[in-house]
Amino acid sequence: MLGLILPRGCAGCDKPDEILCSDCQSLFRRHTVLPLNGAPSGASDGTPGAVTAPNALNGIPSAAIQQPACAMIYAAGTYQGHVRRAILSWKDHGDTECDKAFSQVCRQLVAGSGIIETLQTKPQTERQTGSQTQILVVPAPSSPKSMRTRGRRHLWPIAKATAAELAAAGVEACAVNALRTRHVQGKAVETHSALGRAARLDGQLEVNDPGLIAGKKVLILDDIVTTGTTMRRCAEAIRGVRGSVVGGLALAAVPPPAER
């Protein structure tokens, strides 16, 4: 009866009576891997190294914090065609029924990316003490204007599902809205160059509660990755308060210009 009164179609291809049809779901299983830290300082075969955290964005010293040099961004699909349409329908046009579908996309991404195995490998200090560092799943923040327009934190249900998938695999994890923005104008995907995206967020990201992040491992979550600038800025803010960024997850990555 609801379908007769309020009919809907797949968010990606508009197939009747579907939220995200199986064909569109399959497009979110074509994973892309990008470097989060830029050029890794470790060996080219993926051997972990270390990078020095940049200066803190909120005034807290962050010298000589050791970070995994091979931290990567894992994107579930390619931001074009039906994938793009589905994400925009959910993100900017209020299709909250997609929350469950995209939560499942991120669960599958976590399971298939190998990041669980990475997180389950304890550093020597944890093996010696028998302790386990908690993993925080931190969504990239939207601008205040975007949140007012949408009326919600659109990534929050996805962040909770991601933390639940990690917990189901035996990793101590929880989702935390730890980042916020100040005076950010426009959307990242509307900014036409990497320099423009970097300038858009320069000094505009900060950690809500530095004590919550200090000493924790953090997995950053975003919806769309264009050049990775947003995630890198999030990582800088987290490292600035002595958090360790272990990687990033995204629903989709924008293809390079030659492939669009």
Side-chain angles (χ1 to χ4, degrees):
M1 290 295 293
L2 183 62
L4 290 173
I5 298 169
L6 297 171
R8 71 154 295 148
C10 168
C13 67
D14 211 28
K15 184 178 180 180
D17 303 321
E18 297 277 2
I19 295 174
L20 192 66
C21 72
S22 58
D23 288 340
C24 287
Q25 288 177 34
S26 68
L27 298 177
F28 286 92
R29 291 194 286 270
R30 300 176 182 178
H31 299 171
T32 301
V33 183
L34 306 166
L36 173 57
N37 295 336
S41 61
S44 59
D45 62 358
T47 303
V51 296
T52 301
N55 293 331
L57 299 183
N58 56 7
I60 297 177
S62 59
I65 302 171
Q66 296 298 298
Q67 303 287 340
C70 55
M72 306 299 286
I73 300 170
Y74 301 91
T78 302
Y79 188 66
Q80 59 186 9
H82 292 164
V83 168
R84 180 179 183 275
R85 182 179 175 184
I87 292 176
L88 289 180
S89 177
W90 163 73
K91 178 181 178 180
D92 290 335
H93 300 291
D95 192 355
T96 56
E97 288 185 280
C98 286
D99 283 356
K100 185 175 181 180
F102 285 140
S103 293
Q104 183 60 27
V105 166
C106 272
R107 282 178 173 270
Q108 292 171 344
L109 180 60
V110 167
S113 65
I115 200 164
I116 290 177
E117 291 75 14
T118 300
L119 296 176
Q120 287 175 332
T121 303
K122 296 183 179 181
Q124 185 176 358
T125 53
E126 289 185 17
R127 291 197 298 269
Q128 290 173 343
T129 61
S131 64
Q132 179 173 329
T133 301
Q134 186 180 45
I135 307 300
L136 302 182
V137 180
V138 175
S142 299
S143 68
K145 180 181 178 180
S146 294
M147 284 197 292
R148 286 193 299 269
T149 300
R150 297 179 188 129
R152 65 193 185 114
R153 296 178 183 270
H154 69 292
L155 282 170
W156 183 237
I158 317 300
K160 290 192 291 184
T162 301
E165 182 67 23
L166 291 170
V171 177
E172 184 182 349
C174 71
V176 179
N177 274 312
L179 293 170
R180 63 187 175 195
T181 62
R182 300 175 297 174
H183 313 300
V184 174
Q185 301 296 323
K187 299 178 182 178
V189 293
E190 294 174 347
T191 308
H192 298 296
S193 69
L195 287 176
R197 280 182 282 275
R200 172 181 173 270
L201 292 174
D202 191 23
Q204 301 303 316
L205 285 176
E206 62 184 10
V207 176
N208 294 322
D209 183 355
L212 179 65
I213 297 295
K216 302 289 178 59
K217 295 178 181 178
V218 176
L219 184 62
I220 303 170
L221 175 69
D222 205 354
D223 44 26
I224 306 161
V225 174
T226 306
T227 61
T229 299
T230 298
M231 279 209 188
R232 283 192 285 272
R233 291 299 197 207
C234 291
E236 288 173 7
I238 289 164
R239 291 166 182 157
V241 296
R242 300 182 181 277
S244 175
V245 179
V246 296
L249 301 176
L251 292 176
V254 174
E259 297 178 17
R260 295 176 194 172

